[in-house]
Amino acid sequence: MKKSILLVMVFAFYINVSMAQDWSKELPGKINLVKMSDAGIAIVGTDAALYGVNDQGKILWENKKLRKVEAERVQILSGTELVFISDKGMFSRNRVLNAYTGKEYANSGNKGDNIIGVRVLHGTNQLWTIKGTRGINTWDLGTNTLQYGWGRKDITRDIAVNKVTSLTWNFSGAQPLLYTGRNSAIVHLNLTHLANVDLSTGKDIWRFDWKPFKKVKGAKASTLSNGFAAMKLDEESNTLYFPYINQLVAIDVKTGAAKWNPKKGGKTGKVLNMYVTKDGVLVLTPKGLQLVDKSSGNLVWKKPIKIKNAVESILLKDKNDFFAISKGSIIKVDVANKSTKVLTEKIKFSGKESFDNLEIIDDLIILSASQNVAAFNKNTGEKIHHTYLKAPGSSLLAITQNIVLAAVAAAATVNSQNINSRNSTSGSSYTYHSYSPAVMKSGGSASEKNGDLMYISTKFKDADAKGFGIAKVNKKTGKIVEKIVIGDRDPLYAINHNKGKFFYKSDKKTLAMKSLK
């Protein structure tokens, strides 16, 4: 009996050690946001100020002008040491801050010249700041100096951006930049703007002429957030494939000239997703899957491969295999034989959720949402696991989503990871950095893709962990790797995945940090 009690005591001690905080620090004012910059510095907002805190618990800077900043107003500029803060109020001024120092970047100093949105160009270490719906300034990140600007004479239609607040827009869901040289990239700004731009000067190397193409009243820009596929660059043939309204357009990257007859080629319908293959361009449209001849733009198949509710589907490529999600089921597409095979039954997530992320890890197709994750064998469709952890409170229950929006979100997520890198079909002859020099010097990105892991907010009722917290889950197995008890029904936390540091709000005014296993 004594031996059993001793074992329990030892076990309890071990659990307490594993759950212990590395440090905690009380901050002035109630904490209302905790986010992780790619520099590994936590951005913490309170009623009193905005702070930058390192993994040693040291406050690196504070900005008292930015009080009560809402989480959705903080945009982490991927691959850099910068964050974009959207301010609010009559005299608001949006800011780009350095996570290490709190120093403000891209501030012209001119009265009324407010930044309303930003975009990082990793290849040339530049920052675009939107100064109006038809204005962009380009800043050198290394020197924090203004290089050049575009105004209404250069950008004749509103830039295709997403509105966040009354005075803030962003490029989330926009077409990625496709680099064509060390200092040049294909840029898409609005419905009729598509150009190969010299990024060192802002001058067009060529701008595509849309005049021969049919105009559709009320047509929207070909952005990911509008449900269009990401444009693709085929380096072997120097061809850009671009989804435009209800057709696919092929453009010579060297000259900017159309390769297909506008009235005959690329008559696909709205392109929702696409991949360039040796047999042609495989496109997903509302009518299903179709193969397009690369030389003429003609449709190779007399009839498309039917996919139920194709507009609610999503296409995923893994080496030479293609998979689609339709009506909640996974199907495998055989392009050579123009056939499909249903791999799974309809996948139903618990808690009124629909998947909002889709990926392939090794031999598994992983579908996930905030409270659910499921893994299926990509060859047989066998369900490896479906893990659901109940949300800890009504405020975290996911709203039922239309799977169309989930598919768009998944596509946008995938492409946002490459938003400033080359989105091509083969290896690049140029070297481009995913991270800014400052972040690379510090050891790389702190918010890299999690790989096999995801974090789910839930309530633990186990002997080894009781209370509200975060479950660290292996997406491949569905097993909980670590239980992190926070004690808050609506936890605020951020993770430095590179170093395994978990920052969280432990009580009203206290920030704490725990090293993950």
Side-chain angles (χ1 to χ4, degrees), residues 421-483:
S421 63
R422 202 176 181 92
N423 186 18
S424 61
T425 58
S426 59
S428 172
S429 58
Y430 304 99
T431 300
Y432 298 95
H433 301 297
S434 299
Y435 311 117
S436 70
V439 170
M440 287 191 292
K441 187 177 180 181
S442 70
S445 171
S447 58
E448 295 173 355
K449 189 178 178 182
N450 301 353
D452 296 349
L453 300 172
M454 70 179 291
Y455 296 83
I456 301 177
S457 176
T458 190
K459 184 178 182 179
F460 299 111
K461 299 179 181 178
D462 310 309
D464 61 335
K466 288 186 178 181
F468 300 113
I470 305 297
K472 181 179 176 182
V473 180
N474 185 303
K475 290 185 283 190
K476 293 166 64 175
T477 64
K479 293 182 178 179
I480 297 176
V481 178
E482 187 171 2
K483 299 171 184 176

Short mmCIF file of all heavy atoms in Angstrom, two decimals, residues 421-483:
data_model
loop_
_atom_site.label_atom_id
_atom_site.label_comp_id
_atom_site.label_asym_id
_atom_site.label_seq_id
_atom_site.Cartn_x
_atom_site.Cartn_y
_atom_site.Cartn_z
N SER A 421 7.15 33.63 -52.73
CA SER A 421 8.14 32.74 -53.32
C SER A 421 7.68 32.28 -54.70
O SER A 421 6.55 32.51 -55.09
CB SER A 421 8.39 31.53 -52.43
OG SER A 421 7.21 30.78 -52.32
N ARG A 422 8.54 31.62 -55.41
CA ARG A 422 8.22 31.24 -56.78
C ARG A 422 7.20 30.12 -56.81
O ARG A 422 7.42 29.05 -56.25
CB ARG A 422 9.51 30.81 -57.48
CG ARG A 422 9.44 30.88 -58.99
CD ARG A 422 10.82 30.52 -59.54
NE ARG A 422 10.82 30.59 -60.99
CZ ARG A 422 11.16 31.66 -61.68
NH1 ARG A 422 11.50 32.75 -61.05
NH2 ARG A 422 11.17 31.64 -62.99
N ASN A 423 6.08 30.35 -57.46
CA ASN A 423 5.00 29.36 -57.53
C ASN A 423 5.05 28.72 -58.91
O ASN A 423 4.19 28.91 -59.74
CB ASN A 423 3.65 30.06 -57.30
CG ASN A 423 2.52 29.07 -57.21
OD1 ASN A 423 2.74 27.89 -57.00
ND2 ASN A 423 1.31 29.55 -57.39
N SER A 424 6.11 27.96 -59.16
CA SER A 424 6.36 27.45 -60.50
C SER A 424 6.15 25.94 -60.57
O SER A 424 5.86 25.29 -59.58
CB SER A 424 7.78 27.80 -60.94
OG SER A 424 8.71 27.20 -60.06
N THR A 425 6.33 25.38 -61.75
CA THR A 425 6.09 23.96 -61.95
C THR A 425 7.37 23.15 -61.95
O THR A 425 7.34 21.94 -62.07
CB THR A 425 5.36 23.74 -63.29
OG1 THR A 425 6.17 24.29 -64.34
CG2 THR A 425 4.02 24.41 -63.29
N SER A 426 8.52 23.80 -61.86
CA SER A 426 9.80 23.09 -61.84
C SER A 426 10.78 23.87 -60.99
O SER A 426 10.48 24.91 -60.44
CB SER A 426 10.35 22.94 -63.27
OG SER A 426 10.53 24.20 -63.87
N GLY A 427 11.99 23.37 -60.88
CA GLY A 427 13.00 24.02 -60.05
C GLY A 427 13.36 25.39 -60.60
O GLY A 427 13.38 25.62 -61.80
N SER A 428 13.69 26.30 -59.71
CA SER A 428 14.01 27.66 -60.12
C SER A 428 15.50 27.82 -60.35
O SER A 428 16.32 27.25 -59.65
CB SER A 428 13.55 28.66 -59.05
OG SER A 428 14.03 29.94 -59.34
N SER A 429 15.87 28.61 -61.34
CA SER A 429 17.28 28.89 -61.62
C SER A 429 17.77 30.05 -60.78
O SER A 429 18.92 30.44 -60.87
CB SER A 429 17.46 29.20 -63.10
OG SER A 429 16.65 30.30 -63.47
N TYR A 430 16.88 30.62 -59.97
CA TYR A 430 17.25 31.74 -59.11
C TYR A 430 17.15 31.32 -57.65
O TYR A 430 16.50 30.33 -57.32
CB TYR A 430 16.32 32.94 -59.35
CG TYR A 430 16.30 33.39 -60.78
CD1 TYR A 430 15.26 33.01 -61.63
CD2 TYR A 430 17.32 34.17 -61.30
CE1 TYR A 430 15.24 33.40 -62.94
CE2 TYR A 430 17.31 34.58 -62.62
CZ TYR A 430 16.26 34.19 -63.44
OH TYR A 430 16.25 34.59 -64.75
N THR A 431 17.81 32.05 -56.79
CA THR A 431 17.74 31.77 -55.36
C THR A 431 16.88 32.83 -54.69
O THR A 431 17.14 34.01 -54.80
CB THR A 431 19.15 31.79 -54.74
OG1 THR A 431 19.95 30.79 -55.37
CG2 THR A 431 19.07 31.49 -53.24
N TYR A 432 15.85 32.39 -54.01
CA TYR A 432 14.96 33.31 -53.31
C TYR A 432 14.86 32.89 -51.85
O TYR A 432 14.91 31.72 -51.53
CB TYR A 432 13.56 33.30 -53.95
CG TYR A 432 13.61 33.78 -55.37
CD1 TYR A 432 13.69 32.87 -56.40
CD2 TYR A 432 13.64 35.13 -55.66
CE1 TYR A 432 13.78 33.30 -57.71
CE2 TYR A 432 13.73 35.56 -56.97
CZ TYR A 432 13.80 34.64 -57.99
OH TYR A 432 13.90 35.08 -59.28
N HIS A 433 14.75 33.87 -50.99
CA HIS A 433 14.70 33.60 -49.56
C HIS A 433 13.27 33.67 -49.05
O HIS A 433 12.53 34.58 -49.37
CB HIS A 433 15.57 34.61 -48.81
CG HIS A 433 17.01 34.58 -49.23
ND1 HIS A 433 17.81 33.48 -49.07
CD2 HIS A 433 17.79 35.53 -49.83
CE1 HIS A 433 19.02 33.75 -49.54
NE2 HIS A 433 19.03 34.98 -50.00
N SER A 434 12.93 32.70 -48.22
CA SER A 434 11.61 32.71 -47.59
C SER A 434 11.58 33.67 -46.42
O SER A 434 10.53 34.07 -45.97
CB SER A 434 11.26 31.31 -47.09
OG SER A 434 11.20 30.40 -48.15
N TYR A 435 12.77 34.01 -45.91
CA TYR A 435 12.85 34.87 -44.74
C TYR A 435 13.75 36.06 -45.02
O TYR A 435 14.64 36.01 -45.86
CB TYR A 435 13.39 34.08 -43.53
CG TYR A 435 12.70 32.78 -43.31
CD1 TYR A 435 13.38 31.58 -43.40
CD2 TYR A 435 11.33 32.75 -43.06
CE1 TYR A 435 12.72 30.37 -43.22
CE2 TYR A 435 10.67 31.56 -42.88
CZ TYR A 435 11.36 30.36 -42.96
OH TYR A 435 10.69 29.18 -42.79
N SER A 436 13.54 37.13 -44.28
CA SER A 436 14.38 38.32 -44.43
C SER A 436 15.75 38.03 -43.83
O SER A 436 15.91 37.14 -43.00
CB SER A 436 13.73 39.51 -43.72
OG SER A 436 13.78 39.33 -42.33
N PRO A 437 16.79 38.80 -44.23
CA PRO A 437 18.14 38.58 -43.69
C PRO A 437 18.17 38.61 -42.16
O PRO A 437 18.88 37.83 -41.54
CB PRO A 437 18.93 39.75 -44.29
CG PRO A 437 18.24 40.03 -45.58
CD PRO A 437 16.79 39.82 -45.28
N ALA A 438 17.39 39.49 -41.54
CA ALA A 438 17.40 39.62 -40.08
C ALA A 438 16.89 38.34 -39.41
O ALA A 438 17.44 37.88 -38.40
CB ALA A 438 16.56 40.81 -39.64
N VAL A 439 15.84 37.74 -39.97
CA VAL A 439 15.28 36.52 -39.39
C VAL A 439 16.22 35.34 -39.63
O VAL A 439 16.42 34.50 -38.75
CB VAL A 439 13.87 36.23 -39.95
CG1 VAL A 439 13.39 34.85 -39.53
CG2 VAL A 439 12.89 37.27 -39.46
N MET A 440 16.82 35.27 -40.83
CA MET A 440 17.76 34.18 -41.11
C MET A 440 18.97 34.26 -40.19
O MET A 440 19.48 33.25 -39.71
CB MET A 440 18.21 34.25 -42.58
CG MET A 440 17.14 33.82 -43.57
SD MET A 440 17.77 33.60 -45.23
CE MET A 440 18.15 35.30 -45.67
N LYS A 441 19.42 35.46 -39.92
CA LYS A 441 20.57 35.66 -39.03
C LYS A 441 20.26 35.22 -37.61
O LYS A 441 21.13 34.73 -36.89
CB LYS A 441 20.97 37.15 -39.05
CG LYS A 441 22.26 37.45 -38.31
CD LYS A 441 22.63 38.93 -38.44
CE LYS A 441 23.92 39.23 -37.70
NZ LYS A 441 24.28 40.67 -37.80
N SER A 442 18.99 35.35 -37.22
CA SER A 442 18.60 35.00 -35.85
C SER A 442 18.28 33.52 -35.70
O SER A 442 17.93 33.06 -34.63
CB SER A 442 17.37 35.82 -35.44
OG SER A 442 16.23 35.39 -36.16
N GLY A 443 18.39 32.75 -36.78
CA GLY A 443 18.17 31.32 -36.68
C GLY A 443 16.94 30.82 -37.41
O GLY A 443 16.55 29.67 -37.24
N GLY A 444 16.31 31.65 -38.20
CA GLY A 444 15.19 31.20 -39.00
C GLY A 444 13.84 31.56 -38.42
O GLY A 444 13.74 32.16 -37.36
N SER A 445 12.81 31.18 -39.14
CA SER A 445 11.45 31.54 -38.75
C SER A 445 11.04 30.86 -37.47
O SER A 445 11.33 29.69 -37.24
CB SER A 445 10.49 31.17 -39.87
OG SER A 445 9.17 31.32 -39.44
N ALA A 446 10.32 31.59 -36.65
CA ALA A 446 9.84 31.03 -35.39
C ALA A 446 8.43 30.49 -35.51
O ALA A 446 7.93 29.86 -34.61
CB ALA A 446 9.89 32.09 -34.30
N SER A 447 7.78 30.73 -36.63
CA SER A 447 6.42 30.23 -36.80
C SER A 447 6.34 29.39 -38.06
O SER A 447 5.47 29.55 -38.89
CB SER A 447 5.43 31.40 -36.86
OG SER A 447 5.75 32.27 -37.91
N GLU A 448 7.31 28.49 -38.19
CA GLU A 448 7.34 27.62 -39.35
C GLU A 448 6.14 26.67 -39.32
O GLU A 448 5.49 26.50 -38.30
CB GLU A 448 8.64 26.80 -39.35
CG GLU A 448 9.90 27.65 -39.52
CD GLU A 448 11.16 26.83 -39.34
OE1 GLU A 448 11.03 25.64 -38.98
OE2 GLU A 448 12.25 27.37 -39.53
N LYS A 449 5.89 26.05 -40.46
CA LYS A 449 4.80 25.09 -40.53
C LYS A 449 5.00 24.02 -39.46
O LYS A 449 6.11 23.52 -39.26
CB LYS A 449 4.78 24.45 -41.92
CG LYS A 449 3.57 23.59 -42.19
CD LYS A 449 3.62 23.06 -43.60
CE LYS A 449 2.42 22.15 -43.86
NZ LYS A 449 2.45 21.58 -45.21
N ASN A 450 3.94 23.67 -38.78
CA ASN A 450 4.05 22.77 -37.64
C ASN A 450 4.35 21.33 -38.01
O ASN A 450 4.67 20.52 -37.15
CB ASN A 450 2.75 22.79 -36.83
CG ASN A 450 2.42 24.17 -36.33
OD1 ASN A 450 3.21 25.09 -36.46
ND2 ASN A 450 1.25 24.32 -35.75
N GLY A 451 4.23 20.99 -39.29
CA GLY A 451 4.49 19.62 -39.70
C GLY A 451 3.44 18.67 -39.19
O GLY A 451 2.26 18.78 -39.52
N ASP A 452 3.84 17.73 -38.33
CA ASP A 452 2.93 16.68 -37.86
C ASP A 452 2.04 17.12 -36.70
O ASP A 452 1.20 16.35 -36.25
CB ASP A 452 3.73 15.46 -37.40
CG ASP A 452 4.51 14.81 -38.54
OD1 ASP A 452 4.25 15.19 -39.70
OD2 ASP A 452 5.36 13.96 -38.27
N LEU A 453 2.21 18.33 -36.19
CA LEU A 453 1.53 18.73 -34.97
C LEU A 453 0.46 19.79 -35.18
O LEU A 453 0.55 20.60 -36.08
CB LEU A 453 2.55 19.25 -33.95
CG LEU A 453 3.63 18.27 -33.52
CD1 LEU A 453 4.67 18.98 -32.67
CD2 LEU A 453 3.04 17.09 -32.76
N MET A 454 -0.57 19.77 -34.33
CA MET A 454 -1.53 20.84 -34.26
C MET A 454 -1.95 21.02 -32.81
O MET A 454 -1.74 20.12 -31.97
CB MET A 454 -2.75 20.57 -35.16
CG MET A 454 -3.66 19.46 -34.71
SD MET A 454 -5.09 19.25 -35.83
CE MET A 454 -6.02 20.75 -35.50
N TYR A 455 -2.53 22.17 -32.50
CA TYR A 455 -2.90 22.48 -31.12
C TYR A 455 -4.40 22.74 -31.05
O TYR A 455 -4.94 23.51 -31.83
CB TYR A 455 -2.11 23.70 -30.63
CG TYR A 455 -0.62 23.44 -30.58
CD1 TYR A 455 0.17 23.57 -31.72
CD2 TYR A 455 -0.01 23.04 -29.40
CE1 TYR A 455 1.52 23.29 -31.69
CE2 TYR A 455 1.35 22.77 -29.34
CZ TYR A 455 2.11 22.90 -30.50
OH TYR A 455 3.45 22.62 -30.45
N ILE A 456 -5.06 22.05 -30.12
CA ILE A 456 -6.51 22.12 -30.00
C ILE A 456 -6.90 22.57 -28.59
O ILE A 456 -6.48 21.98 -27.59
CB ILE A 456 -7.17 20.76 -30.31
CG1 ILE A 456 -6.80 20.30 -31.73
CG2 ILE A 456 -8.68 20.84 -30.15
CD1 ILE A 456 -7.35 18.93 -32.10
N SER A 457 -7.73 23.60 -28.52
CA SER A 457 -8.21 24.09 -27.23
C SER A 457 -9.34 23.19 -26.73
O SER A 457 -10.27 22.87 -27.47
CB SER A 457 -8.71 25.53 -27.39
OG SER A 457 -9.27 26.01 -26.20
N THR A 458 -9.26 22.77 -25.48
CA THR A 458 -10.27 21.86 -24.94
C THR A 458 -10.26 21.92 -23.42
O THR A 458 -9.54 22.72 -22.82
CB THR A 458 -10.02 20.41 -25.43
OG1 THR A 458 -11.13 19.60 -25.08
CG2 THR A 458 -8.75 19.85 -24.83
N LYS A 459 -11.05 21.06 -22.77
CA LYS A 459 -11.05 20.93 -21.31
C LYS A 459 -10.64 19.51 -20.95
O LYS A 459 -11.23 18.54 -21.42
CB LYS A 459 -12.44 21.23 -20.73
CG LYS A 459 -12.46 21.20 -19.21
CD LYS A 459 -13.84 21.56 -18.66
CE LYS A 459 -13.83 21.56 -17.13
NZ LYS A 459 -15.16 21.92 -16.57
N PHE A 460 -9.59 19.40 -20.13
CA PHE A 460 -9.10 18.10 -19.72
C PHE A 460 -9.82 17.63 -18.46
O PHE A 460 -10.06 18.41 -17.54
CB PHE A 460 -7.59 18.16 -19.44
CG PHE A 460 -6.78 18.55 -20.64
CD1 PHE A 460 -6.13 19.79 -20.67
CD2 PHE A 460 -6.65 17.71 -21.73
CE1 PHE A 460 -5.37 20.16 -21.76
CE2 PHE A 460 -5.90 18.08 -22.83
CZ PHE A 460 -5.26 19.31 -22.86
N LYS A 461 -10.16 16.34 -18.44
CA LYS A 461 -10.81 15.75 -17.27
C LYS A 461 -10.07 14.48 -16.86
O LYS A 461 -10.66 13.52 -16.37
CB LYS A 461 -12.27 15.42 -17.58
CG LYS A 461 -13.11 16.64 -17.96
CD LYS A 461 -14.54 16.25 -18.29
CE LYS A 461 -15.37 17.46 -18.69
NZ LYS A 461 -16.76 17.08 -19.06
N ASP A 462 -8.76 14.48 -17.08
CA ASP A 462 -7.96 13.29 -16.85
C ASP A 462 -7.24 13.36 -15.51
O ASP A 462 -7.09 14.42 -14.91
CB ASP A 462 -6.94 13.12 -17.99
CG ASP A 462 -7.60 13.22 -19.36
OD1 ASP A 462 -8.60 12.52 -19.57
OD2 ASP A 462 -7.12 14.02 -20.19
N ALA A 463 -6.74 12.21 -15.09
CA ALA A 463 -6.03 12.16 -13.82
C ALA A 463 -4.74 12.97 -13.87
O ALA A 463 -4.32 13.57 -12.89
CB ALA A 463 -5.71 10.70 -13.47
N ASP A 464 -4.11 12.98 -15.04
CA ASP A 464 -2.83 13.68 -15.17
C ASP A 464 -2.98 15.14 -15.56
O ASP A 464 -2.01 15.90 -15.56
CB ASP A 464 -1.93 12.97 -16.19
CG ASP A 464 -2.55 12.93 -17.58
OD1 ASP A 464 -3.79 13.01 -17.67
OD2 ASP A 464 -1.81 12.84 -18.56
N ALA A 465 -4.19 15.56 -15.92
CA ALA A 465 -4.41 16.96 -16.31
C ALA A 465 -5.90 17.29 -16.17
O ALA A 465 -6.74 16.63 -16.77
CB ALA A 465 -3.95 17.18 -17.75
N LYS A 466 -6.21 18.32 -15.39
CA LYS A 466 -7.58 18.74 -15.21
C LYS A 466 -7.70 20.25 -15.42
O LYS A 466 -6.88 21.01 -14.91
CB LYS A 466 -8.08 18.38 -13.81
CG LYS A 466 -8.32 16.89 -13.62
CD LYS A 466 -8.95 16.61 -12.27
CE LYS A 466 -9.23 15.12 -12.11
NZ LYS A 466 -9.87 14.82 -10.80
N GLY A 467 -8.73 20.64 -16.19
CA GLY A 467 -8.96 22.05 -16.42
C GLY A 467 -8.85 22.44 -17.88
O GLY A 467 -8.56 21.62 -18.75
N PHE A 468 -9.08 23.70 -18.17
CA PHE A 468 -9.02 24.20 -19.54
C PHE A 468 -7.56 24.29 -20.00
O PHE A 468 -6.67 24.65 -19.22
CB PHE A 468 -9.66 25.59 -19.62
CG PHE A 468 -11.10 25.61 -19.20
CD1 PHE A 468 -11.50 26.27 -18.05
CD2 PHE A 468 -12.05 24.94 -19.95
CE1 PHE A 468 -12.83 26.29 -17.66
CE2 PHE A 468 -13.39 24.94 -19.57
CZ PHE A 468 -13.77 25.62 -18.42
N GLY A 469 -7.36 23.97 -21.27
CA GLY A 469 -6.00 24.04 -21.77
C GLY A 469 -5.89 23.72 -23.25
O GLY A 469 -6.87 23.77 -23.99
N ILE A 470 -4.68 23.38 -23.67
CA ILE A 470 -4.37 23.12 -25.07
C ILE A 470 -3.79 21.71 -25.21
O ILE A 470 -2.87 21.34 -24.47
CB ILE A 470 -3.34 24.13 -25.59
CG1 ILE A 470 -3.81 25.56 -25.36
CG2 ILE A 470 -3.07 23.89 -27.08
CD1 ILE A 470 -5.06 25.95 -26.09
N ALA A 471 -4.34 20.94 -26.14
CA ALA A 471 -3.81 19.61 -26.43
C ALA A 471 -2.90 19.69 -27.65
O ALA A 471 -3.29 20.20 -28.69
CB ALA A 471 -4.95 18.63 -26.70
N LYS A 472 -1.70 19.21 -27.48
CA LYS A 472 -0.75 19.12 -28.60
C LYS A 472 -0.97 17.75 -29.23
O LYS A 472 -0.72 16.71 -28.62
CB LYS A 472 0.68 19.25 -28.05
CG LYS A 472 1.78 19.19 -29.09
CD LYS A 472 3.13 19.36 -28.37
CE LYS A 472 4.29 19.21 -29.33
NZ LYS A 472 5.60 19.33 -28.61
N VAL A 473 -1.48 17.74 -30.48
CA VAL A 473 -1.94 16.50 -31.13
C VAL A 473 -1.09 16.16 -32.35
O VAL A 473 -0.77 17.04 -33.16
CB VAL A 473 -3.41 16.65 -31.55
CG1 VAL A 473 -3.91 15.37 -32.23
CG2 VAL A 473 -4.29 16.98 -30.35
N ASN A 474 -0.72 14.91 -32.48
CA ASN A 474 -0.04 14.42 -33.67
C ASN A 474 -1.09 14.18 -34.75
O ASN A 474 -1.98 13.35 -34.58
CB ASN A 474 0.72 13.13 -33.36
CG ASN A 474 1.55 12.64 -34.53
OD1 ASN A 474 1.04 12.42 -35.62
ND2 ASN A 474 2.84 12.47 -34.30
N LYS A 475 -0.99 14.90 -35.86
CA LYS A 475 -2.01 14.82 -36.91
C LYS A 475 -2.03 13.44 -37.58
O LYS A 475 -3.08 13.01 -38.08
CB LYS A 475 -1.77 15.91 -37.96
CG LYS A 475 -2.06 17.30 -37.45
CD LYS A 475 -1.93 18.35 -38.53
CE LYS A 475 -0.51 18.68 -38.83
NZ LYS A 475 -0.35 19.85 -39.72
N LYS A 476 -0.91 12.75 -37.61
CA LYS A 476 -0.84 11.45 -38.29
C LYS A 476 -1.49 10.34 -37.46
O LYS A 476 -2.07 9.42 -38.02
CB LYS A 476 0.62 11.11 -38.58
CG LYS A 476 1.27 12.03 -39.61
CD LYS A 476 2.77 11.89 -39.64
CE LYS A 476 3.22 10.52 -40.07
NZ LYS A 476 4.69 10.44 -40.19
N THR A 477 -1.38 10.44 -36.14
CA THR A 477 -1.90 9.37 -35.29
C THR A 477 -3.15 9.76 -34.51
O THR A 477 -3.90 8.90 -34.06
CB THR A 477 -0.83 8.95 -34.27
OG1 THR A 477 -0.56 10.05 -33.39
CG2 THR A 477 0.46 8.54 -34.98
N GLY A 478 -3.35 11.07 -34.34
CA GLY A 478 -4.48 11.55 -33.54
C GLY A 478 -4.21 11.50 -32.05
O GLY A 478 -5.06 11.87 -31.24
N LYS A 479 -3.03 11.10 -31.66
CA LYS A 479 -2.70 10.97 -30.24
C LYS A 479 -2.29 12.32 -29.65
O LYS A 479 -1.65 13.13 -30.31
CB LYS A 479 -1.58 9.95 -30.04
CG LYS A 479 -1.99 8.53 -30.38
CD LYS A 479 -0.86 7.55 -30.12
CE LYS A 479 -1.30 6.10 -30.43
NZ LYS A 479 -0.20 5.14 -30.19
N ILE A 480 -2.68 12.52 -28.38
CA ILE A 480 -2.27 13.73 -27.67
C ILE A 480 -0.84 13.54 -27.18
O ILE A 480 -0.55 12.64 -26.39
CB ILE A 480 -3.21 14.01 -26.48
CG1 ILE A 480 -4.64 14.27 -26.99
CG2 ILE A 480 -2.71 15.20 -25.67
CD1 ILE A 480 -5.65 14.48 -25.89
N VAL A 481 0.04 14.39 -27.67
CA VAL A 481 1.45 14.29 -27.32
C VAL A 481 1.74 14.99 -26.00
O VAL A 481 2.58 14.56 -25.21
CB VAL A 481 2.32 14.92 -28.44
CG1 VAL A 481 3.80 14.87 -28.08
CG2 VAL A 481 2.07 14.21 -29.76
N GLU A 482 1.01 16.09 -25.76
CA GLU A 482 1.24 16.87 -24.55
C GLU A 482 -0.04 17.60 -24.17
O GLU A 482 -0.78 18.06 -25.03
CB GLU A 482 2.38 17.87 -24.77
CG GLU A 482 2.82 18.61 -23.54
CD GLU A 482 4.08 19.43 -23.76
OE1 GLU A 482 4.60 19.45 -24.90
OE2 GLU A 482 4.55 20.04 -22.79
N LYS A 483 -0.29 17.68 -22.86
CA LYS A 483 -1.44 18.41 -22.34
C LYS A 483 -0.93 19.64 -21.59
O LYS A 483 -0.15 19.51 -20.66
CB LYS A 483 -2.26 17.52 -21.40
CG LYS A 483 -2.81 16.28 -22.08
CD LYS A 483 -3.42 15.33 -21.07
CE LYS A 483 -3.89 14.04 -21.74
NZ LYS A 483 -4.41 13.05 -20.77
#
